[in-house]
Amino acid sequence: MLKPAYDKVLVLALATPVLVLTFMLARSPAKGDGGGVTAQFWAERRAAARIEARLTHPEADKHRPRTSSGGCPIPPEPIPLRDLARLEEAGDWGGIAAAYALQGEWNQAASFLERMPPSSNRDSDLAAVHLARGAHEQALRLLDAVLASHPKHPQALWNRALVLQEMGLAMKAAETYELVASLNEQGWGREAHAHALTLRDETLERARRWKGAREATLALVDNPQAPLPLEEARQHPGVVRQNFYDVVRSAPSKERALALLPLAQELDRLQGGNALNDYVRRVAARDFARRAPLAKGYSELVRGKLSELDRVQQQSRTAGEGDLFLGTLLLAKATHGPNLEEAKAEVGRQQDPWLHLIIERELARKEVADGTWWKAEQRIFSALQRCREGAFSARCVDLELRLTMLYIDLQRLTEAEQHARTAWTWARQLREWSLEFTALETLVHAARSRNDFASARAYVEEWSARGGRNDDCYWSRVNLAHIYYLDSKLEASRRELDAAASCQGAKLDLMFAATLAELARTRPGPQDAELLKRSLAGLSKSIYVMPGDISYARYIEGRYLLEQDRAKGEELLKSTIAETKRLPRSDMQAREAWALSNSTLITEAGRAGDFQKALALMVEQLDTPAPKSCSMGLSVHGERTVIVVQGPGGEVRGHYDADRQESFARMSSARLIPDTLRQVLKGCAQVDVFAWPPVLGRTDLFPSEIAWSFRLGRGARAQATAAPQQRLVVSSVEAPQLLQLPRLPAWTPPPDTGTTPMQVLTGSEATPSRVLASMKAATEIEIHAHGLVDPTISDSSLVVLSPEGDGRYALTADAVREQKLSGAPLVFLAACSAGRMTSSAAYEPFSLPAAFIDAGARAVLASTVDIPDAAGRFFDGVRQRIRGGAKPAVALRDERQKWLTRDARASWTRHILLIETGD
């Protein structure tokens, strides 16, 4: 603190005379305004400011022209302590924060802003801090909240424009700058308008040039006199090469093919090799008496007349015109499935690296479909390396996007977003307009899955501001509606959903239907029944319909009918549950329908006040024995919450909330539970919690002094006492180089390891297959390795082990779930964040702890956050307590309290997850 305590001034003065002067200066009369300091103080701060963000303190927000003087930045002079003392004396925390912020000392600014009570101005300034730190998600979230209540807040608008600009969302940034300009503030308005013009003009010019390069290349298909786009190739080699293949395939004669040689040679010069030069010469050497009609048919396909595609494809195959056959597969986006081998063989004959990278992408897609995703990951990384070496940058962006989609499918959302952002930045640098759209679409998916709704909305809005693909009104509207619903902004969701339905030619889909079914409960519309019928009818017209899709549609219909005909709605939900149980667990759409149907029935029981029934349904969903006392059941579905507690004597109390205004993904779980229900649990030695995702996996339900655990599954405890004791330890893993993970410290056994037989797998021996095989008879399993998960929002987890011969390195939930752990082990996952679960998907607890329980473990302890090297000693302490007879929940609580008492930095121990089977 800068202000000395008055009752200690004399003592401080005797100890350090300098403080007397500081104190006297702080008490001296202020000169000028601005929170007790002189006007000169603020003028000096503004003149030296190097920040772009706007601050809400009146003196700090006066317009300051910013010009670059070149050279290296000069560190700012320290803020005079006497002026800080005056600001503090005046209680002007915002002034102190603004003074530090103007100098770019953001950590100091944040510490003072966080002392201030919540307000729009404070949050706008905190957003500036997050922007400076590169934390765009947090900045957007704060600014969106400010602008929701104060749409013309000038500093928040300016700062939001800056955040969007930093994210590369130039069109939305320009729109936001124009809103600032419309406020007509002196200085700021003119600067905002200039920013808007620059951003919009640069973006639209990039689009114009890309489209021009594409059109100039395709013009060669129709017009033999069209000039070769040599300059366009130099500026946009990706799009020119992409379409050049179609031009060559469409050439009707030897002479026309040879006329394309200068463009082929220029592209080869730019991207290396002689592939296009060789290709043009091979085509020119073909027999055009036979090829010309096929080339003419192919040119019609390029013009968009795809009705003849099957004929041209078959004739090209029969005639041995392999490049034309390959072209038809690429036009139809049909290089996968049964055509993959033929496409691969043709690319092999052409010896073209560009085409080879396309096939590598398709082979990776097949490997994912075959369940060998680690092979696909290795393949894409290898292809990316070759791609960069060959300067085929547009193909590199495409591979980055393929890797993004792989990681989204695996629910490795942090990595997915990293690669999507790389692709997004790269596509903009290359001026590849079409790839920018694809990158935006993957960013929407990744951010939404990660519950980063502010960023997801911004990506959708940028997509729409650019005109979308073929001006697709529906895609942006339905995505916004779904994002708003997930973010508990129901009015906005309803508005966007109605707008989506009004889009010309809109083909309503299951995302529309699912959002409508939820909104119809609290925000009904007059056409809901008809809209739902249209969206579900579209499923029957789809080419690829899986059993899970049908089950999901039935769930949506049942969910909707609950409000009109409760009995019929419940009947549909129950039939969905029964039907999905017969489908493979790998059918994710079916699993989601099963989980959401259960969740809906639980919520309906809570709404009816039948809390005994609600608890019974929770227990049934978790497949665990029913509790008799000291338990809590929780279910979260959309904005609705059901909580049921049983006290020490078995007494049942319940709570139903249908109007939660905040997204559960961003709130503390503890806030869900009313104090009246907590009082019912007083006197319980420990509490058993029954919950499905998104609650399952949360570690903040109770204070650290309470012993509690999640319950899941049944039947492992009885066999645990009969199995011979055997401990498995996995450590010193050799992680694959492609992951670039730091080496973990070597594990050393504690001195009191006891007499339990122990198997240790280290180094190259610690492969997934060896670990899985060694688990089967173990009664204790301890894994020290890296966990891969999202560092901000929970998502699925895996543990990185040493790679197999085929490259597989991950210990995943699905692999563990397939095992039969006969020793009913106690499992310690001493890996960073190995216990995190998917909060964005409520249909499956995709986590290693849940998988170990499914496989037969009796209890699993795992961290849901990053943990220090000392965590091994913590887990060992818990294990020793359990060996001494303590119940796992009590052992975890007692060891946690010991560490928290001894070291305030041990707050990570609050985030250790415990899941146990039912007794």
Side-chain angles (χ1 to χ4, degrees):
M1 291 290 292
L2 296 168
K3 181 180 177 181
Y6 291 103
D7 59 344
K8 297 181 180 178
V9 169
L10 194 53
V11 176
L12 290 172
L14 291 172
T16 40
V18 175
L19 287 179
V20 177
L21 177 60
T22 303
F23 180 74
M24 291 173 64
L25 287 170
R27 297 289 295 168
S28 62
K31 297 180 181 180
D33 52 14
V37 296
T38 64
Q40 182 64 22
F41 170 84
W42 288 110
E44 291 173 355
R45 305 278 80 70
R46 292 193 299 270
R50 290 180 175 273
I51 68 170
E52 291 187 90
R54 287 183 64 176
L55 306 169
T56 57
H57 192 279
E59 289 294 333
D61 192 46
K62 290 182 179 178
H63 186 257
R64 49 190 189 276
R66 279 153 291 152
T67 57
S68 174
S69 57
C72 299
I74 300 174
E77 293 291 329
I79 302 174
L81 290 178
R82 62 182 179 183
D83 292 315
L84 289 176
R86 285 172 178 164
L87 288 167
E88 187 171 14
E89 179 70 17
D92 190 358
W93 304 116
I96 298 173
Y100 278 121
L102 285 172
Q103 297 204 168
E105 297 181 38
W106 294 106
N107 289 338
Q108 291 277 38
S111 68
F112 284 94
L113 288 170
E114 287 163 359
R115 302 182 194 186
M116 298 169 62
S119 70
S120 295
N121 283 353
R122 186 205 70 158
D123 288 352
S124 179
D125 288 348
L126 273 177
V129 173
H130 288 305
L131 170 61
R133 293 171 173 171
H136 300 144
E137 173 184 344
Q138 293 90 329
L140 271 183
R141 190 184 303 161
L142 285 168
L143 293 168
D144 284 355
V146 171
L147 294 170
S149 55
H150 298 86
K152 294 185 178 182
H153 193 289
Q155 294 85 8
L157 282 170
W158 178 277
N159 291 341
R160 189 173 196 271
L162 280 179
V163 176
L164 295 171
Q165 185 175 345
E166 284 290 310
M167 295 171 69
L169 309 181
M171 296 297 285
K172 283 305 295 181
E175 285 185 18
T176 311
Y177 276 127
E178 289 290 11
L179 291 174
V180 176
S182 70
L183 300 177
N184 295 317
E185 298 172 286
Q186 184 175 2
W188 294 115
R190 183 164 52 253
E191 186 175 347
H193 183 63
H195 282 320
L197 282 177
T198 300
L199 288 169
R200 188 176 288 113
D201 288 350
E202 288 178 352
T203 304
L204 294 178
E205 177 65 9
R206 193 164 71 248
R208 186 188 69 79
R209 288 180 178 272
W210 181 88
K211 292 173 183 176
R214 181 177 181 274
E215 290 166 3
T217 308
L218 288 175
L220 299 171
V221 173
D222 297 316
N223 183 7
Q225 305 304 316
L228 295 178
L230 297 175
E231 183 57 34
E232 287 86 348
R234 297 181 191 109
Q235 297 298 319
H236 296 85
V239 65
V240 172
R241 183 168 189 148
Q242 181 73 38
N243 291 281
F244 181 70
Y245 290 98
D246 286 335
V247 174
V248 177
R249 293 168 189 144
S250 300
S253 66
K254 174 181 181 178
E255 293 73 22
R256 185 63 193 138
L258 290 174
L260 300 173
L261 268 177
L263 182 55
Q265 291 164 350
E266 181 64 14
L267 287 168
D268 280 340
R269 184 187 69 79
L270 291 166
Q271 298 180 322
N274 295 294
L276 293 181
N277 178 76
D278 294 345
Y279 175 47
V280 170
R281 292 187 184 279
R282 283 198 309 273
V283 169
R286 301 296 295 174
D287 178 5
F288 274 88
R290 182 173 57 179
R291 181 181 172 96
L294 295 174
K296 183 177 185 300
Y298 188 87
S299 68
E300 294 295 317
L301 301 181
V302 173
R303 295 184 186 97
K305 301 175 182 178
L306 297 178
S307 58
E308 294 294 305
L309 190 144
D310 290 341
R311 180 185 64 79
V312 175
Q313 187 176 97
Q314 186 56 45
Q315 289 180 353
S316 299
R317 177 194 275 134
T318 303
E321 300 292 342
D323 66 315
L324 290 177
F325 171 69
L326 177 64
T328 62
L329 295 179
L330 292 171
L331 284 175
K333 295 181 172 58
T335 51
H336 56 280
N339 299 316
L340 180 57
E341 287 304 316
E342 285 187 273
K344 181 181 176 183
E346 177 56 33
V347 168
R349 285 189 287 272
Q350 294 196 32
Q351 294 292 304
D352 186 330
W354 177 280
L355 297 175
H356 178 73
L357 290 171
I358 294 176
I359 294 302
E360 288 291 281
R361 180 194 66 194
E362 296 306 312
L363 288 170
R365 194 196 304 269
K366 180 179 185 299
E367 286 165 343
V368 172
D370 292 343
T372 55
W373 61 263
W374 61 91
K375 291 183 179 180
E377 184 183 38
Q378 289 278 4
R379 183 182 295 277
I380 296 173
F381 270 109
S382 297
L384 268 170
Q385 184 176 354
R386 295 195 302 274
C387 178
R388 294 186 180 106
E389 292 169 354
F392 299 122
S393 299
R395 292 262 58 85
C396 299
V397 177
D398 184 58
L399 289 167
E400 287 282 2
L401 292 170
R402 180 61 246 167
L403 195 59
T404 298
M405 290 182 272
L406 168 64
Y407 284 145
I408 288 174
D409 289 342
L410 295 173
Q411 286 292 287
R412 288 164 59 178
L413 300 178
T414 301
E415 293 157 288
E417 194 159 39
Q418 288 171 350
H419 286 282
R421 286 176 177 170
T422 298
W424 167 236
T425 302
W426 208 347
R428 286 183 291 122
Q429 291 172 345
L430 294 171
R431 303 181 296 277
E432 286 288 345
W433 187 250
S434 180
L435 287 173
E436 289 183 44
F437 274 99
T438 307
L440 278 172
E441 290 162 8
T442 58
L443 282 166
V444 170
H445 194 162
R448 185 181 66 214
S449 298
R450 217 170 50 78
N451 296 323
D452 177 7
F453 304 128
S455 297
R457 282 195 300 272
Y459 294 136
V460 174
E461 289 167 354
E462 177 71 14
W463 189 94
S464 181
R466 289 164 172 246
R469 290 184 189 272
N470 302 318
D471 197 24
D472 189 342
C473 157
Y474 175 77
W475 186 90
S476 59
R477 294 294 192 179
V478 76
N479 271 276
L480 281 175
H482 194 58
I483 292 165
Y484 276 127
Y485 168 71
L486 294 174
D487 199 16
S488 299
K489 301 182 186 302
L490 304 187
E491 290 290 347
S493 179
R494 183 76 232 197
R495 181 182 66 246
E496 294 295 340
L497 196 73
D498 289 340
S502 300
C503 291
Q504 185 175 2
K507 297 179 181 179
L508 308 186
D509 55 10
L510 286 182
M511 181 185 287
F512 181 97
T515 309
L516 175 64
E518 295 294 344
L519 291 175
R521 179 176 64 254
T522 57
R523 305 295 191 279
Q527 303 297 319
D528 283 353
E530 178 59 30
L531 290 172
L532 187 76
K533 183 178 179 181
R534 275 178 56 195
S535 56
L536 295 181
L539 182 65
S540 62
K541 300 175 184 177
S542 177
I543 299 174
Y544 303 106
V545 181
M546 302 296 290
D549 297 329
I550 298 171
S551 298
Y552 192 75
R554 184 173 288 109
Y555 151 71
I556 291 172
E557 185 179 5
R559 175 71 205 86
Y560 175 79
L561 285 176
L562 280 175
E563 307 302 319
Q564 285 73 36
D565 186 338
R566 183 171 179 177
K568 188 172 182 180
E570 288 190 353
E571 180 184 347
L572 276 172
L573 293 173
K574 290 175 181 177
S575 68
T576 300
I577 293 171
E579 174 186 289
T580 51
K581 283 181 179 179
R582 296 190 292 268
L583 295 176
R585 190 164 185 159
S586 58
D587 189 331
M588 291 299 101
Q589 197 81 310
R591 286 295 288 177
E592 185 167 4
W594 172 84
L596 292 174
S597 295
N598 274 293
S599 176
T600 302
L601 291 174
I602 291 167
T603 305
E604 287 301 302
R607 180 166 72 160
D610 192 345
F611 295 110
Q612 289 276 14
K613 179 181 178 181
L615 181 59
L617 289 169
M618 293 178 193
V619 168
E620 182 180 351
Q621 184 178 23
L622 293 161
D623 189 29
T624 194
K628 296 182 175 62
S629 63
C630 290
S631 71
M632 173 179 287
L634 294 92
S635 178
V636 169
H637 185 118
E639 79 286 2
R640 302 195 292 175
T641 305
V642 177
I643 306 175
V644 187
V645 297
Q646 281 183 310
E651 62 275 25
V652 174
R653 298 288 185 277
H655 170 77
Y656 172 74
D657 177 16
D659 195 32
R660 182 165 33 80
Q661 299 297 311
E662 184 179 0
S663 170
F664 179 68
R666 291 201 302 267
M667 67 180 291
S668 164
S669 306
R671 286 168 47 198
L672 287 176
I673 308 167
D675 288 338
T676 52
L677 292 190
R678 292 186 184 276
Q679 293 299 318
V680 176
L681 296 170
K682 277 199 167 183
C684 290
Q686 73 175 70
V687 179
D688 298 331
V689 178
F690 300 84
W692 196 256
V695 180
L696 177 59
R698 293 289 190 104
T699 56
D700 57 352
L701 293 175
F702 293 97
S704 60
E705 61 269 18
I706 301 296
W708 67 279
S709 65
F710 286 106
R711 294 293 172 145
L712 179 66
R714 64 176 71 229
R717 291 176 180 272
Q719 66 194 62
T721 56
Q725 296 298 294
Q726 182 174 328
R727 183 180 177 190
L728 169 66
V729 178
V730 180
S731 70
S732 302
V733 167
E734 297 177 356
Q737 288 187 350
L738 67 89
L739 299 179
Q740 298 183 336
L741 296 171
R743 184 179 295 276
L744 293 173
W747 175 82
T748 54
D752 52 346
T753 52
T755 59
T756 301
M758 181 167 60
Q759 179 185 10
V760 180
L761 292 177
T762 63
S764 60
E765 291 185 341
T767 61
S769 60
R770 290 287 300 276
V771 171
L772 288 168
S774 300
M775 282 179 181
K776 293 181 180 179
T779 55
E780 286 185 6
I781 299 171
E782 184 173 346
I783 299 178
H784 299 265
H786 281 290
L788 289 184
V789 291
D790 181 77
T792 350
I793 302 293
S794 300
D795 70 62
S796 68
S797 53
L798 60 84
V799 168
V800 177
L801 299 178
S802 300
E804 310 271 7
D806 65 356
R808 182 179 185 179
Y809 62 82
L811 182 67
T812 59
D814 56 347
V816 170
R817 190 173 279 118
E818 293 174 0
Q819 304 303 306
K820 176 63 175 174
L821 304 181
S822 59
L826 177 64
V827 180
F828 298 88
L829 296 176
C832 291
S833 308
R836 293 194 177 178
M837 301 207 181
T838 306
S839 60
S840 58
Y843 50 88
E844 187 78 84
F846 279 122
S847 76
L848 284 173
F852 271 104
I853 293 293
D854 281 352
R858 69 182 187 274
V860 184
L861 290 97
S863 174
T864 62
V865 298
D866 292 344
I867 54 179
D869 295 341
R873 289 189 286 110
F874 174 82
F875 283 110
D876 192 64
V878 176
R879 178 175 46 251
Q880 295 301 332
R881 291 178 185 274
I882 295 173
R883 285 182 176 178
K887 293 184 176 181
V890 174
L892 174 59
R893 187 270 314 274
D894 291 348
E895 189 69 12
R896 179 172 59 225
Q897 291 300 97
K898 171 186 169 182
W899 279 60
L900 289 172
T901 301
R902 188 176 60 190
D903 187 353
R905 295 171 299 176
S907 59
W908 58 270
T909 61
R910 303 176 191 271
H911 302 284
I912 302 299
L913 172 72
L914 172 60
I915 301 181
E916 300 183 78
T917 57
D919 293 323

